[in-house]
Amino acid sequence: MLTGKPGTDDRTRERKIMEKASPETWVVHSGEITQATRDLAPPLHPASTFERAENGGYPGKHMYSRISSPAYETLESLLSRLEGGCDAQVFASGMAAGSAVLQALRAEDRLVVPRAMYWGMRNWIHRFADDFKLEVASYPNSDLDAIASLLEEKPTKLLWIETPANPTWEVTDIDAACSLAHRHGALVLVDSTVASPVLSQPLSLGADFVLHSATKYLNGHSDVVAGALIAKCDGEFWQRIRFARTHAGAVLGPFEAWLLLRGLRTLFLRVRAASDNALRIAEALSARPEVSHVLYPGLPTHSGHLVAARQMKGGFGGMLSARFAGGEAKARDVAARLKVFKRATSLGSVESFVEHRASIEGPGTLCPADLLRFSVGIEPLADLLADLDRAIAAR
Ligand SMILES: *Cc1c(COP(=O)(O)O)cnc(C)c1O
């Protein structure tokens, strides 16, 4: 066996340097090396329960993995660091993270939500609110006046923002909306799944909580379903959220947490590559006569472009939608002909997806029938453009 113990001085120096390193370095390294064996890949911790000491205490700090676990504590500290928060909780899915927020509300609490938002969450919020007597009001995503008048109308517990929002990528001014909400005593949650912590930091713009479907960019490889909430600071509402996870029990499994740590290592590279591709694709689609509208916040023609340029740094994300002049039939035909873009739901993976959203969402959808949603991946741009050219030109 090789000896050569790491000197305490070395470890202290390393820790000091790492503390000053950017979150990008932290995720590349999967956090701090804490094991005696100095593994450069994080260990997997499957334990559901932990040994008590003779005096009844828990020297390993953990009791039972529904409450806390080394399986996901590194992940939580990385997410907290990425978003500039004080604490984070990971969940069994993005929906479970959203549900913990709903469970933290009390009957009669008022929730103000955007009109356009991830379809599954929108339906669940309205259904949950009906069953558990929460009051819900909706605002057009980019309309600050509408937010202001809803907040003035009645006391509101929580303002929910999703930006850019599914599937039209409407943008909400986080900074301005947070000022309005805080003036009226409301907390603010931002579903930042689409922007990811690479492009946007809602907590630094005033939000109280950030939600991620970690299934998407954070993991990035279409092989984990997970969610996360990050809090700017501790407080009663955050404690209620923590309580909801512990007791409702929607914790993330150890293997999923481990895969997520692995996916996170390349988060910055992946998001930047997808954003760069998406902007070029949005520009190329805009030039095609078959496409009537391209919805992408990176285009100067998008209604949310200026706000997005202010609150997103280094790109506008990998999500865009296109509407086709030939209507629903043309949109579906294009989706059917694409080969590199896979016909699949979800987003934020390394591979590109296309989806006819209206048919996935079904009756009651707000999504136009002539719209295709693209989750742009990290494949070489030329392959993606050639695939689109071939599918759109065909008749
Ligand atoms: C996918 C998604 C969710 C739900 O997350 P799951 O991990 O699928 O449960 C929530 N918000 C947005 C914006 C999403 O794209």
Side-chain angles (χ1 to χ4, degrees):
M1 192 168 130
L2 297 170
T3 53
K5 288 187 218 146
T8 334
D9 284 357
D10 272 359
R11 286 304 297 273
T12 313
R13 214 173 308 133
E14 176 188 325
R15 194 166 283 162
K16 277 198 182 128
I17 290 169
M18 280 297 284
E19 262 162 26
K20 291 204 192 98
S22 63
E24 188 166 350
T25 295
W26 277 83
V27 290
V28 166
H29 289 227
S30 290
E32 194 185 9
I33 298 166
T34 49
Q35 310 82 260
T37 48
R38 310 282 286 163
D39 308 32
L40 279 171
L44 179 55
H45 293 276
S48 59
T49 187
F50 303 86
E51 191 185 25
R52 295 181 81 163
E54 293 86 339
N55 68 2
Y58 286 96
K61 292 188 304 198
H62 302 286
M63 178 199 292
Y64 186 55
S65 66
R66 175 159 46 70
I67 302 166
S68 73
S69 166
Y72 47 79
E73 74 179 348
T74 303
L75 177 59
E76 291 181 336
S77 78
L78 286 177
L79 292 175
S80 194
R81 211 173 176 109
L82 276 172
E83 289 289 1
C86 80
D87 197 12
Q89 291 254 282
V90 289
F91 291 84
S93 67
M95 291 299 290
S99 298
V101 174
L102 298 176
Q103 288 162 341
L105 293 165
R106 293 187 158 93
E108 319 296 337
D109 275 348
R110 187 162 190 251
L111 180 63
V112 170
V113 302
R115 198 174 53 187
M117 66 189 295
Y118 170 65
W119 176 249
M121 191 70 84
R122 178 170 168 264
N123 284 350
W124 178 230
I125 287 175
H126 287 278
R127 160 97 189 265
F128 188 97
D130 276 354
D131 289 349
F132 294 95
K133 311 247 175 307
L134 301 174
E135 194 187 323
V136 187
S138 307
Y139 62 92
N141 296 51
S142 55
D143 190 343
L144 290 169
D145 292 338
I147 295 176
S149 54
L150 286 171
L151 292 168
E152 269 152 32
E153 191 178 274
K154 271 188 194 173
T156 297
K157 183 70 186 181
L158 184 74
L159 171 67
W160 189 297
I161 293 172
E162 180 178 319
T163 183
N166 260 289
T168 44
W169 320 113
E170 281 170 81
V171 174
T172 305
D173 185 332
I174 299 174
D175 186 16
C178 289
S179 303
L180 286 170
H182 291 156
R183 208 177 308 147
H184 289 90
L187 294 164
V188 183
L189 175 142
V190 177
D191 182 338
S192 195
T193 298
V194 169
S196 91
V198 177
L199 305 178
S200 190
Q201 244 97 48
L203 301 182
S204 74
L205 298 168
D208 300 288
F209 309 104
V210 173
L211 182 148
H212 284 286
S213 166
T215 313
K216 316 293 169 55
Y217 289 103
L218 295 181
N219 182 60
H221 293 77
S222 306
D223 52 13
V224 169
V225 171
L229 286 168
I230 300 99
K232 185 176 193 165
C233 42
D234 201 3
E236 198 223 331
F237 198 72
W238 179 244
Q239 286 306 319
R240 286 179 65 83
I241 288 172
R242 291 189 60 98
F243 188 82
R245 190 190 68 176
T246 297
H247 296 271
V251 285
L252 189 62
F255 187 55
E256 285 70 18
W258 185 85
L259 278 175
L260 196 36
L261 273 179
R262 179 179 173 127
L264 271 181
R265 288 183 157 214
T266 52
L267 173 72
F268 283 79
L269 280 176
R270 288 186 284 103
V271 170
R272 286 179 189 139
S275 278
D276 290 351
N277 275 347
L279 178 60
R280 301 287 295 279
I281 289 171
E283 287 165 353
L285 290 175
S286 302
R288 294 205 69 111
E290 300 90 339
V291 174
S292 61
H293 308 272
V294 177
L295 306 170
Y296 185 63
L299 294 178
T301 48
H302 189 276
S303 61
H305 178 66
L306 291 178
V307 175
R310 221 180 317 125
Q311 69 189 19
M312 298 178 82
K313 301 269 181 282
F316 296 89
M319 296 305 298
L320 65 101
S321 296
R323 298 180 63 181
F324 288 83
E328 176 173 359
K330 178 67 179 177
R332 283 176 174 266
D333 183 64
V334 170
R337 289 177 193 273
L338 287 165
K339 297 283 182 274
V340 180
F341 281 86
K342 300 300 177 200
R343 286 174 298 280
T345 197
S346 196
L347 59 96
S349 285
V350 285
E351 64 276 52
S352 294
F353 296 152
V354 60
E355 191 174 39
H356 183 252
R357 275 310 285 176
S359 59
I360 287 279
E361 295 184 2
T365 179
L366 301 174
C367 182
D370 60 2
L371 179 147
L372 289 182
R373 183 182 90 169
F374 297 94
S375 170
V376 178
I378 66 167
E379 301 94 336
L381 180 65
D383 287 347
L384 298 176
L385 288 174
D387 199 34
L388 287 164
D389 274 344
R390 200 181 324 111
I392 296 174
R395 51 175 79 226

